[in-house]
Amino acid sequence: MKKVLTIQDISCLGKCSITVALPIISAMGSETVILPTAVLSTHTMFQNFTVKDLTDQLLPITDHWKNQNVKFDAIYTGYLGSQEEIEIAKKVFADFKTQDNLIFIDPVMADNGKLYPAFDENYAKLNAELCGLADVIVPNITEACFMTDTEYKEEYDEAYIKDLLQKLAALGPKVVVLTGVSLSQGKTGFMGLDTKTGEYFSYQNDRVDANFHGTGDIFASVCVGGLMRGDSLEEAMKTAADYTAKTISVTLENPEKPWYGVDFESTIGDLTRA
Ligand code: PXL
């Protein structure tokens, strides 16, 4: 069985980061090992959340794994709590990188033109360096702008997206994929660039006019799960985009009108394949 290490926070309530990565990657057939960067009462879109930083625990945990000769088929990073934790993620890559395992980075730090409360521009610069070590990165447009010193635009054309992809490629990852990209009115999806072949690829779904937290984490987790079960990168991304779009639609039908996360529990069965 494939083994994935995911490094991100535990938001106890909030349906994001580890509380979606763990069930989704497991449902897709891979063992999921967690390295929690912090424990928060909720994700940071709630007011007055609590945070217990776990920076001092990370290397003791990974040193123990190293001593046990543990190997990972993929290392997937999401929300890291601090600049120091970005440095630790680099060390974990150095310690556990092999010839053929996958380094997958979702540089979670911003959305809708703004950094999340815990982060500043220095953090974005360090995240850009981290992305240079990846096989695949999946930033949204806001994160890409912060990492490449590009002006954020709500309205854009394909040339703007291609320019961002080229700037991300210059950071050093093998494949760059921008999420939340709308290439025509009423649509949304992703556009990517394979830096080896120079080829662009894209995929679009109907855009649902709703903004939920955790959907980026769901997209990234399904991509990792798909890659681990042997899907091609484009297949894995398409499955992730379709699954995320369907889950948002299902959530919108919930009469309880959830606001902080999506009802992936209702759709997760779609991801299980014998
Ligand atoms: O879904 C991304 C995410 C992960 N972890 C924490 C967050 C967020 C987004 O707001 O606050 C703690």
Side-chain angles (χ1 to χ4, degrees), residues 4-36:
V4 175
L5 167 62
T6 187
I7 311 176
Q8 41 189 331
D9 69 280
I10 297 176
S11 288
C12 298
L13 167 74
K15 302 210 227 189
C16 67
S17 38
I18 283 180
T19 64
V20 304
L22 185 51
I24 286 178
I25 297 169
S26 299
M28 296 181 79
S30 293
E31 178 181 346
T32 313
V33 177
I34 62 168
L35 186 59

Side-chain angles (χ1 to χ4, degrees), residues 9 11 16-17 40 42-45 79 108 116 213-214 217:
D9 69 280
S11 288
C16 67
S17 38
L40 294 85
T42 62
H43 63 52
T44 61
M45 298 299 117
Y79 186 105
V108 178
Y116 291 145
H213 282 283
D217 302 339

Side-chain angles (χ1 to χ4, degrees), residues 7-8 35-38 54-65 80 84-86 88-89 92:
I7 311 176
Q8 41 189 331
L35 186 59
T37 54
L54 296 178
T55 304
D56 66 354
Q57 297 299 305
L58 303 185
L59 290 177
I61 293 171
T62 58
D63 283 347
H64 180 214
W65 293 337
L80 304 170
E84 199 181 343
E85 286 189 339
I86 293 183
I88 290 174
V92 175

